[in-house]
Amino acid sequence: MNGAAEGSDFESSDTVRLIVRHRMCAVDSAWMPPEERPSVYERGHSAGMSRTVSVIRTLFFLLIAAPAVASEPVALLTPETQVPPLPTLAAEPTLVAPGLDGSPVEPAISDPASGVAAQGISSYWMVSSRYSVQNIHQSARGPWGLFVQEIYCNGTLRNSSIEELSRTLIPGIPVCIFVHGSFVELPNQYVEAAGFYSRVQAQSPGPIQMIFFTWPSDGPYSGCFPVDVAVRGRQADFNGFHLAYLLSNIPESCPVCFVGHSHGSRVILSGMHLAGGGTIEGHSFPYSTGPSRRIRVILAAGAMDHHWLNPGQQYECALNRVECLLNLQNRHDLALAAYPLSHLFARRAVARSGFTQHDARKLGYQSLKLRNCDVTHLVGSKHYWPYYYKQPSIVAAMIPYLHFQ
């Protein structure tokens, strides 16, 4: 992992005008291909019944195209600066966002134009692993490096490098790293990055440095949607290596808050699992991510089992490096309604169920780091990332995490 990857598929000029089409990205979840199903799936069922189950499974996933259910907006409440203790166990477990005290949210900066200029930060970064190795077992792998671009507020961009990014970041200033979900084409990522950047800057009480991490979450496609989402889920896990590498190149004095949407949650928690001493595909991450660095995580529409942070599960080491985690819970997320059918012994998606009290008991003291913030009334049945960042109340709930207040 030394040096930036070649970026021949990007614009070749040093400074070009950013022209992208505004198209909504598709959504994702996880699914296990038929050839990988354990025999227990077939036990007690005829071949005809198996085909019926497959058809029903696919139809559930296709429900993501259904129209969203309208919901009446209700303002979120202002998070306080400190994380409160875990709520007392109850029959109907509910975790809450920090400090929901009943007061309405007021953006810290009401004028978007004043947010960026006053802070002296006039650009953000796009870091791509789209042209990097995507299989650690591959004999003829591609480059390990990351392709980097700096994007200015006027819409222009220029090619850069991971070394320049590391030198340019201001020590001590918080860094926000956003990771998108599956089926997101690169032009869409540019559009959504600009939208999220402007809204965060407009409501931020102080300077913040923003990086958008993009990974190969779109084609090629097999033509079978459930198989394609399963492939993206595994690819998201592998890109945790690239995300950990990006983190290792950020000055240790910069606190980092990761924001992940859908399968982007898996990319982030995979990277944190590696940073916390875990392994992915039997391999560990060899570089330091900064032992004294402060790290926070925000999950939106998280497409992963709600128990995967528990001991013995897929990301059991992730919380070793995370001081707190905010889960934006949407109980009506239609795209994730069929998630429990996605693979053998799958649980509900963390976006719909939140972290449960059973998870809290399994995690012990680590559960004090977890919070659910119910945004169902704001997002409804929708899954796409713009439905989250276009809600000022949701961005306001994220601000204390982004600024390490």
Side-chain angles (χ1 to χ4, degrees):
M1 288 179 131
N2 43 15
E6 293 296 324
S8 58
D9 293 324
F10 283 80
E11 295 289 342
S12 56
S13 61
D14 290 335
T15 304
V16 297
R17 192 70 181 173
L18 182 61
I19 304 176
V20 295
R21 62 184 183 276
H22 193 355
R23 214 171 50 173
M24 297 305 299
C25 63
V27 298
D28 53 5
S29 55
W31 194 86
M32 181 173 284
E35 61 270 21
E36 294 183 10
R37 294 180 192 163
S39 58
V40 69
Y41 259 103
E42 301 297 330
R43 193 176 302 160
H45 295 275
S46 64
M49 180 62 72
S50 298
R51 286 192 295 271
T52 301
V53 171
S54 298
V55 170
I56 294 175
R57 184 191 301 263
T58 302
L59 289 176
F60 266 117
F61 279 107
L62 293 178
L63 282 174
I64 61 173
V69 177
S71 61
E72 177 150 356
V74 180
L76 285 179
L77 307 175
T78 307
E80 294 175 350
T81 58
Q82 295 185 356
V83 177
L86 190 72
T88 305
L89 299 183
E92 289 293 331
T94 302
L95 301 178
V96 297
L100 298 185
D101 59 1
S103 58
V105 167
E106 292 295 338
I109 297 178
S110 57
D111 180 10
S114 66
V116 178
Q119 297 165 15
I121 298 176
S122 59
S123 65
Y124 54 96
W125 303 83
M126 186 74 68
V127 177
S128 173
S129 65
R130 289 175 178 263
Y131 311 110
S132 304
V133 56
Q134 294 298 318
N135 187 345
I136 205 165
H137 304 294
Q138 193 175 341
S139 57
R141 298 194 291 262
W144 269 104
L146 298 171
F147 185 80
V148 180
Q149 291 178 312
E150 185 175 12
I151 303 176
Y152 297 95
C153 294
N154 62 3
T156 60
L157 59 80
R158 68 180 184 87
N159 293 343
S160 184
S161 66
I162 195 70
E163 293 81 11
E164 183 180 7
L165 168 63
S166 181
R167 292 193 305 267
T168 304
L169 290 176
I170 305 171
I173 301 298
V175 174
C176 169
I177 301 179
F178 174 78
V179 185
H180 61 74
S182 289
F183 305 110
V184 177
E185 298 177 353
L186 188 57
N188 296 331
Q189 171 64 357
Y190 282 118
V191 171
E192 294 179 4
F196 184 46
Y197 171 79
S198 63
R199 284 165 173 81
V200 168
Q201 294 288 0
Q203 293 186 235
S204 288
I208 186 169
Q209 306 173 102
M210 299 191 69
I211 300 173
F212 293 86
F213 180 82
T214 180
W215 54 287
S217 66
D218 51 346
Y221 301 114
S222 67
C224 178
F225 181 71
V227 172
D228 289 334
V229 295
V231 170
R232 269 73 199 169
R234 290 192 293 270
Q235 207 159 13
D237 285 344
F238 181 81
N239 274 270
F241 282 102
H242 295 302
L243 189 65
Y245 178 58
L246 169 60
L247 180 62
S248 70
N249 281 275
I250 295 176
E252 188 172 349
S253 62
C254 289
V256 175
C257 182
F258 292 96
V259 180
H261 174 256
S262 198
H263 269 170
S265 302
R266 292 184 62 167
V267 178
I268 291 171
L269 293 178
S270 172
M272 294 302 94
H273 179 68
L274 291 168
T279 61
I280 298 293
E281 296 187 19
H283 290 73
S284 58
F285 184 70
Y287 306 118
S288 172
T289 56
S292 64
R293 186 195 310 278
R294 299 181 65 189
I295 298 176
R296 294 182 176 185
V297 174
I298 300 174
L299 307 182
M304 50 167 271
D305 290 27
H306 67 79
H307 72 300
W308 274 357
L309 293 177
N310 296 356
Q313 299 301 323
Q314 192 154 331
Y315 307 127
E316 63 175 341
C317 296
L319 291 179
N320 295 344
R321 290 293 289 114
V322 176
E323 66 178 44
C324 58
L325 184 154
L326 176 66
N327 177 46
L328 300 178
Q329 182 182 1
N330 179 10
R331 293 174 285 106
H332 296 166
D333 190 318
L334 190 57
L336 298 176
Y339 183 87
L341 301 176
S342 62
H343 56 272
L344 188 63
F345 305 128
R347 308 283 182 86
R348 290 174 296 166
V350 70
R352 286 178 64 97
S353 70
F355 296 106
T356 67
Q357 292 296 336
H358 179 73
D359 297 332
R361 287 189 288 269
K362 287 284 187 179
L363 287 165
Y365 75 93
Q366 295 273 44
S367 66
L368 297 175
K369 301 177 179 181
L370 304 179
R371 292 295 177 272
N372 292 323
C373 181
D374 196 334
V375 297
T376 306
H377 53 287
L378 294 169
V379 185
S381 64
K382 305 176 188 72
H383 181 84
Y384 301 135
W385 172 233
Y387 290 119
Y388 284 81
Y389 73 72
K390 289 183 179 180
Q391 288 283 354
S393 298
I394 293 180
V395 175
M398 298 166 60
I399 289 297
Y401 284 80
L402 298 175
H403 286 274
F404 289 78
Q405 295 175 340

